Amino acid sequence: MSLEVLGITVLMTFLFGYIIVGAIDFGAGFFNAYSLLTGKEHILTNVIQRYLSPVWEVTNVFLVFFFVGMVGFFPSTAFYYGTTMLVPLSIALILLAIRGSYYAFETYGASGHKGYSFMYGMAGILLPASLSIVLTISEGGFIDMVDGQPVLDYGALFTSPLTWSIVFLSIAATLYISAVFLTWYADKAGDRDATELLRKYALIWSLPTIITAGGIVWELRSHNAEHYNQLLGLWWMFALSGALFIGTVYLLWKRHNYGLAVWLLIGQFALAFYGYGIAHYPYLLYPHLTIHDSFTNPAMATALIIAFILGLGLLIPSLYLLLRLFLFNKDYVKGRKKDEHA
Amino acid sequence: MGNEESVFFSRVLTELTLSFHIIYATIGVGVPLMIMIAQWVGIKKNDEHYILLARRWARGFVITVAVGVVTGTAIGMQLSLLWPNFMELAGQVIALPLFMETFAFFFEAIFLGIYLYTWDRFDNQKKHLLLLVPVALGASFSAVFITIVNAFMNAPQGFDLVDGELVNIQPLVAMFNPAMPTKVAHVVITAYMTSAFILAAIAAFRLLKGSDHVYHKKALFLTMKLGLIFSIGAAIIGDFSGKYLAEYQPEKLAAAEWHFETEGEAPLMLYGILDGQEVKYTITIPYALSILAHSDPTAEVIGLNDFPEDEIPPLYIHYLFDTMVTIGVLMIMVSGLYWLGRHMRWRFIHSRWYRWLIVAGGPLTVIAIEAGWWYAEVGRQPWILRDIMKVPEAATTSGHVDTMLYLFATLYLILGVGSVVVLRRMFRNNPIEREIADREAEVREGTRKGGDH
Ligand code: HDD
Ligand code: HEM
Ligand code: HEM
């Protein structure tokens, strides 16, 4: 494997990690706000808080890791994406800031206002939408070079059906991933009512997820034929992904083995995500930027990869400890441990 | 929006974000160490008060961390959004510490989550304390790595520039640049110092507000002692920073000292104002600048006349430097007298005015941090990468930076007010007297039930 492929694989893996843990987090915020609105907060709040509390900062680091790593391995992305993405990413940053801080304010400070919970929930839905714009732009067709400087064409961006399919997919997938995961978590906590409610949400959001995903492939056919053809070449990955999707829905439907359902879900998204990514190869931004011409020098690349391996040696055991103490700890999940924060 | 405006607003937005982030980041670097020390003292002396101190600090810390994390994420992304050309160029040489910083964050975030939620899980407090070590290490190393990036901007090395292309890149040489040792050491130790004095200010404030609990007295004594140690350290390393500047960035030192002509036996000018080219009302200490720069009263110090007009940093950085140094010296005296007073049983250190002085020390050290950074950064102007890239060449060409500036300014206002309100409410609703009473009740109940923890 060449260094640039190794680099982009590492980055994609962290992006995938962020998509999954971020989606769980964003969706949870939304369901929490929604349950307040419908007067069902007593059912959900407990489960959601217990899951979110110890991990919210870790979620954020996945994102930081991705964009810092991106600029490290592919410095030219700073030039193309940095120049053009000022507005969408700034909005995403503000939403992230509102979520992160109010979460801490509410959880650890004396708990406050319903308004916060709504903002928190709404931010969770808008965030995937605004972050997903990056994916849309990477398909090309929205950036013009003017005097050697990249300029984003907002008109084309906001009138393109591709943009909106991706936005809808990001929202539907967020809610779907979150609901499936939380169903399992609530089930482990032995919380019958929450399990049932979340299972219902999961089933509701499964259909829009798969429809919008199909819609994007359809859109790509006219928007970016090259990418579309490469996607077709990887049809087996998407077929497998679809099979796993059916498996998840089946298990949910039958109220069977929610743990397996989560794993199938992760498998489904992993296959689709990597399939999409591989088909994107070698472009980081059609048609301006490929992973080859934006790649950093070999000395830096080697240094980054060594740092990455050493870093993983530190992180994996720590993450394992976190998961064991909280996510997979029966007493904690059931709320039996007296683990109030500080 | 024209390009000049983009540059201008990019600068203002960077200044704003960094100046805001640095407050929370400094607390984020220093407070975990303070918590660790308090918990350790508590375990060693078997004194519940220190443990409680650690616990209450940790609770407040969560709020500042949250704001630190979200503003840090903002500045991290803004570096690429506002300075794309800089990041494209510098990223090739200095991406390594930036990347390593994310691991430090990761490490810190994971263990902070664990630490906060396991106060009552271990029978042995030492195990719980052990979980804080990675938090403190992670936080300090974030500061180390990011400061290395900043040091590189001041003293770039580890590459060759051939026809505008970077070749022969050596990431480790870039990291270990000449600015790095003093800069990293000064930033880290001033973060500890600031955290100690902020916590001391809180303790002094509670005592002033009528609480006479020994808890606050213990807190005050501990933090003042630590503050004294760190402030002396800060001054010593600050002196080394001056020597670094004299050697590698003489224009920054000269501009800060209004040292116009290269000469030996250079005097140090404190305070004063600048009227055109004329310096007025300064306190002049003979030979002191030569000593600061080279440890030798007769040594020659390079003046601004040796630099082209358009490469001289703004002269107002003199005021920033003076502010920083004045506060540094003041805090050494305040904490030193307090410490001495405890030993000599001087009564005045328990007086109201002295406690107010300690309270003022909290915000003052934060001002010193801000002044120090503004001095270091403005003193690098007009360069973003010294001698390689100027600020206007680095900035984004995007319009809309002004709108983003207003959005972020609003955000920081909300975050700043929000964090203060939440912190106040948190401690007002649960004063120490009540918490101690609650805990005692809990322990009594626990023993009655046969201690079924
Ligand atoms: C509590 C904060 C604080 C205090 C009391 C001091 N400093 Fe400082 N100083 C900083 C906080 C700071 C800082 C925020 O950490 C800076 C800004 C950038 C940097 O590298 O450190 C800094 C920079 C800085 C620089 C510029 C370094 C560079 O640009 O590379 C010098 C020469 C000094 N300091 C010298 C001193 C001296 C002689 C002090 C005597 C007491 C002093 N500082 C106290
Ligand atoms: C956290 C502490 C820091 C503070 C408070 C700070 C503050 C500032 C200030 C006030 C300026 C403006 C100088 C001017 O008037 O033009 C500036 C410039 C800049 N700094 Fe720093 N800085 C900090 C650390 C860093 C670090 C670690 C980096 C890089 C990784 C960095 C990157 C920049 C850039 C890109 C500029 C150029 C923008 C400009 O000139 O306005 N800064 N900084
Ligand atoms: C250009 C300058 C800077 C950038 C790009 C930057 C970037 C970041 C980022 C991305 C985070 C969030 C990490 C997370 O998700 O957990 C963060 C937090 C943090 N930053 Fe900064 N930072 C800068 C300046 C500084 C400086 C100068 C210091 C130390 C003196 C510092 C210390 C910290 C600490 C300790 C945190 C963790 C949050 C906390 O504990 O409060 N940062 N920073």
Side-chain angles (χ1 to χ4, degrees), chain B residues 7 10-12 14-15 18-22 79 83 86 98 146-147 149-150 153 314 316 369-370 373-374 377-378 380-381 383-384 391:
Chain B
V7 175
S10 297
R11 291 175 92 136
V12 180
T14 305
E15 286 157 14
L18 278 166
S19 303
F20 191 69
H21 176 64
I22 193 60
L79 279 181
W83 310 101
F86 163 69
L98 222 49
I146 195 68
T147 310
V149 179
N150 186 263
M153 296 164 67
Y316 72 81
I369 288 280
E370 297 281 352
W373 274 109
W374 277 78
E377 298 292 291
V378 177
R380 194 185 59 235
Q381 301 305 311
W383 303 104
I384 191 163
V391 171

Side-chain angles (χ1 to χ4, degrees), chain A residues 270-306:
Chain A
L271 280 164
F273 179 78
Y274 284 99
Y276 173 90
I278 295 167
H280 217 290
Y281 178 85
Y283 288 99
L284 287 172
L285 171 62
Y286 285 96
H288 301 291
L289 199 64
T290 71
I291 64 170
H292 304 297
D293 50 46
S294 63
F295 197 54
T296 190
N297 51 316
M300 180 55 78
T302 318
L304 289 177
I305 286 172
I306 293 172

Side-chain angles (χ1 to χ4, degrees), chain A residues 3 73 75 295-302, chain B residues 91-93 166 168-171:
Chain A
L3 280 179
F73 280 105
F295 197 54
T296 190
N297 51 316
M300 180 55 78
T302 318
Chain B
Q92 303 187 36
V93 193
L166 298 176
N168 200 7
I169 288 164
Q170 297 163 289

Side-chain angles (χ1 to χ4, degrees), chain A residues 57 60-61 64 67-68, chain B residues 18 21-22 24-29 61 64-76 79 98 101 105-106 108-109 138-140 142-143 146-147 187 191 373:
Chain A
E57 203 190 336
N60 192 58
V61 188
V64 173
F67 69 70
V68 171
Chain B
L18 278 166
H21 176 64
I22 193 60
Y24 293 88
T26 302
I27 295 173
V29 174
F61 179 59
T64 58
V65 167
V67 180
V69 166
V70 298
T71 52
T73 310
I75 182 62
L79 279 181
L98 222 49
E101 195 196 6
F105 290 142
F106 237 128
E108 181 194 350
S140 290
S142 338
I146 195 68
T147 310
V187 167
W373 274 109

